[in-house]
Amino acid sequence: MPPRRKEGPEPGEAPYFVRTKARERGTAAAQKTQRSTERPARAGRPAAKGRHPAKQPVERPAGTPRLTGRGGVLLIALLSFAGTMIAHAGSWPALPGIAFTAACLLTAAMVRPPDLLSLSVSPPIAFFVSVVAAESVLALGNEGFARVLVLGLASRLAEVAPYLFLGTALVLVIAVFRGLPGNLRDLGDELNGRR
């Protein structure tokens, strides 16, 4: 056990029990770490246990645009909002559901494979947020805002429920074929500390 110091650390320095890079330089462990990081990788040499080989960037054709997971959720919300507003103006009760299902198909096909997990759980939430926003806009100026909002939400969700299930199921099916099981394995490895 190192001797206890009575005074604190110098201003701008870590306490004596915190190992900094400057204090590590002379130790054998630091020299071993430095040698292992400087050693070039040899061809034909198997990777050490616990190390993951560096992933090479995947080349994709120039014409295929990719959405992030957040962009896909935003696209679902925007198309659902637009469908709800147009359905109210034109008296087409199925239009919000059709817009939601089309948005789900589009985003499931265009989102980047690493973001499939976040996209697969988000469509119902994105639809609910967009319907709350649309019904709030439509309820503005009415005498009983809360009552009109609740009734509008209830009727809109009842009309669109089959499309909501269909769109969410389509996202899940497409995501499974595009690599969702791999994302779930990676998440499990991260949560269990294996990565």
Side-chain angles (χ1 to χ4, degrees):
M1 184 168 186
R4 293 191 78 150
R5 292 186 183 176
K6 292 184 179 158
E7 70 275 349
E10 297 286 327
E13 289 187 15
Y16 72 93
F17 53 84
V18 175
R19 190 172 295 267
T20 61
K21 295 283 183 197
R23 291 185 188 150
E24 255 183 17
R25 283 196 186 115
T27 65
Q31 291 170 354
K32 182 179 176 183
T33 305
Q34 187 178 9
R35 278 186 299 219
S36 68
T37 57
E38 292 174 356
R39 191 177 306 153
R42 295 182 194 154
R45 181 178 170 193
K49 190 173 185 178
R51 287 191 198 165
H52 295 285
K55 291 184 179 179
Q56 299 295 325
V58 178
E59 294 290 326
R60 58 184 174 91
T64 57
R66 290 289 178 210
L67 285 173
T68 62
R70 291 182 189 133
V73 173
L74 182 64
L75 184 64
I76 290 172
L78 288 176
L79 286 178
S80 298
F81 179 82
T84 303
M85 297 303 282
I86 293 169
H88 179 74
S91 298
W92 297 315
L95 188 61
I98 294 170
F100 173 75
T101 305
C104 286
L105 280 172
L106 184 67
T107 56
M110 290 181 59
V111 78
R112 297 181 312 172
D115 294 335
L116 285 171
L117 183 59
S118 62
L119 178 71
S120 64
V121 298
S122 301
I125 299 166
F127 182 76
F128 182 74
V129 168
S130 68
V131 168
V132 168
E135 291 297 331
S136 297
V137 169
L138 294 173
L140 285 176
N142 288 329
E143 210 169 283
F145 175 79
R147 183 178 53 82
V148 172
L149 177 64
V150 169
L151 289 175
L153 278 174
S155 64
R156 188 73 64 196
L157 290 175
E159 290 169 350
V160 179
Y163 294 103
L164 192 60
F165 291 122
L166 175 66
T168 305
L170 286 173
V171 166
L172 289 173
V173 168
I174 293 171
V176 164
F177 287 109
R178 291 197 60 223
L180 182 62
N183 290 351
L184 290 171
R185 276 191 302 275
D186 290 344
L187 178 65
D189 289 346
E190 254 181 62
L191 293 175
N192 292 323
R194 291 183 289 226
R195 190 169 181 195

